[in-house]
Amino acid sequence: MTATVRPVSIGVPTVRSHVDTSDRPDTPDLVDRFGRVARDLRVSITEKCSLRCTYCMPAEGLPVIPQSRLLTTDEIVRLVTIAVRDLGVREVRFTGGEPLMRRDLEDIIGGCARAVPGTPLSMTTNAVGLEHRAQRLVDAGLTRVNISLDTVDRNHFAELTRRDRLPSVLAGIRAAARAGLTPLKVNAVLMPETLAGAADLLQWCLDEGAHLRFIEEMPLDADQAWDRSTMVDAQRLLDVLGDRFVLTEAGREDPSAPAEEWLVDGGPATVGIIASVTRNFCDDCDRTRLTAEGTVRSCLFSDSEIDLRGTLRAGAPDEDIAALWRGAMWTKWAGHGIDADGFAPPQRSMGAIGG
């Protein structure tokens, strides 16, 4: 019997190399037409991942991006330098896929730390294998990690990620804490399958001194199986957690922070909820994104990208690259439009975009 292989696409957005900025104000910052300023840079460095989370990647994984199309270490460092020095970026986070899949991750972190000293350099990771590299990454200049963990039930973890790697993840979280990568944040995607275990996950994070944030599932899965009618929203989670903990609303750390915070049993510990769908924070979004292929993506849900890699490899000076980046952000959408009539999810899944 021959198994059926389902073709998987990484997504083909509209990639441009020019944007009309004739009506853009004369400012070096990454402003858009709605008055927002991007200060937070997310840099995807690979499409590869050691897990196959159902809300992010298909079981087969994403098609491999040819090495020649990926940004090199030096190219990443140069673009991060331009972002911080010329465009007003104040924080950089490396994403994937899974950043730990790049063997040169320490070189990337170290190069950026030397190029933009004092700039916070963080990473979003699933922590598989982090226990072996946490100290080296800190020594290179990494300042913080966000770790994806949806459940502390080993069977549920294996079902959701299609890999039995929970012990490695937990070891990675503890290694990150020992290495000083704090405050240690754990991100959990809200799903019907894990709702019953949400309180157990929160208790585990409280015991480990990690700050847990739940995230409403967005239509960014490669299988395009997301369904608004079955999505677990923030209020439903609060009801479930409220059966075990006393939660007191504490608001946001700052207007651009995605998570609304609740004190747990009077504090000081808190739990965060990122209600990306039902309580979106698009009006205060301050992010700009680079894909692993060197394109600027101004919004997670926009399939329009601006190519910086081609301009960079053509020998353009830094000021030309900065101008192109400013143009990309000037055309940023007002919001993701999930509730709008005719909404269509982006062609790229989260694994191909970077968080």
Side-chain angles (χ1 to χ4, degrees), residues 42-91:
R42 306 296 170 91
V43 184
S44 174
I45 60 176
T46 182
E47 85 294 353
K48 297 180 179 66
C49 190
S50 48
L51 301 178
R52 295 291 183 270
C53 298
T54 56
Y55 54 81
C56 183
M57 285 194 173
E60 306 87 342
L62 294 171
V64 175
I65 298 175
Q67 191 69 27
S68 62
R69 285 169 48 192
L70 288 173
L71 291 173
T72 66
T73 298
D74 290 343
E75 289 170 341
I76 292 170
V77 172
R78 183 179 173 192
L79 290 175
V80 167
T81 302
I82 292 171
V84 174
R85 183 192 64 206
D86 302 328
L87 301 175
V89 164
R90 296 173 182 167
E91 182 176 354

Side-chain angles (χ1 to χ4, degrees), residues 17 42 47 50 58 105 118 120 123 137 183 230 286 298 307 314 336:
S17 57
R42 306 296 170 91
E47 85 294 353
S50 48
L105 178 58
M123 176 177 71
L137 289 167
T230 60
D286 67 345
S298 60
D307 179 26
H336 54 51

Side-chain angles (χ1 to χ4, degrees), residues 1-162:
M1 182 176 178
T2 302
T4 301
V5 178
R6 181 175 59 84
V8 178
S9 171
I10 199 168
V12 184
T14 300
V15 179
R16 297 176 290 163
S17 57
H18 174 74
V19 177
D20 180 10
T21 57
S22 57
D23 59 342
R24 184 184 180 278
D26 185 16
T27 174
D29 293 335
L30 293 173
V31 299
D32 64 35
R33 288 189 170 94
F34 303 95
R36 297 167 298 193
V37 182
R39 302 292 189 190
D40 183 340
L41 170 61
R42 306 296 170 91
V43 184
S44 174
I45 60 176
T46 182
E47 85 294 353
K48 297 180 179 66
C49 190
S50 48
L51 301 178
R52 295 291 183 270
C53 298
T54 56
Y55 54 81
C56 183
M57 285 194 173
E60 306 87 342
L62 294 171
V64 175
I65 298 175
Q67 191 69 27
S68 62
R69 285 169 48 192
L70 288 173
L71 291 173
T72 66
T73 298
D74 290 343
E75 289 170 341
I76 292 170
V77 172
R78 183 179 173 192
L79 290 175
V80 167
T81 302
I82 292 171
V84 174
R85 183 192 64 206
D86 302 328
L87 301 175
V89 164
R90 296 173 182 167
E91 182 176 354
V92 180
R93 184 185 301 179
F94 299 97
T95 69
E98 171 49 53
L100 291 169
M101 297 295 285
R102 281 199 57 156
R103 296 180 179 179
D104 58 349
L105 178 58
E106 287 85 353
D107 296 331
I108 292 171
I109 299 295
C112 291
R114 291 188 293 273
V116 290
T119 302
L121 303 175
S122 61
M123 176 177 71
T124 295
T125 175
N126 62 30
V128 174
L130 181 59
E131 60 180 307
H132 306 297
R133 299 174 71 177
Q135 189 59 56
R136 296 204 306 270
L137 289 167
V138 169
D139 294 342
L142 190 68
T143 57
R144 194 172 60 77
V145 290
N146 281 22
I147 295 175
S148 301
L149 176 63
D150 304 313
T151 177
V152 286
D153 182 290
R154 187 166 180 174
N155 290 332
H156 285 172
F157 182 93
E159 291 172 3
L160 288 168
T161 67
R162 304 182 178 106

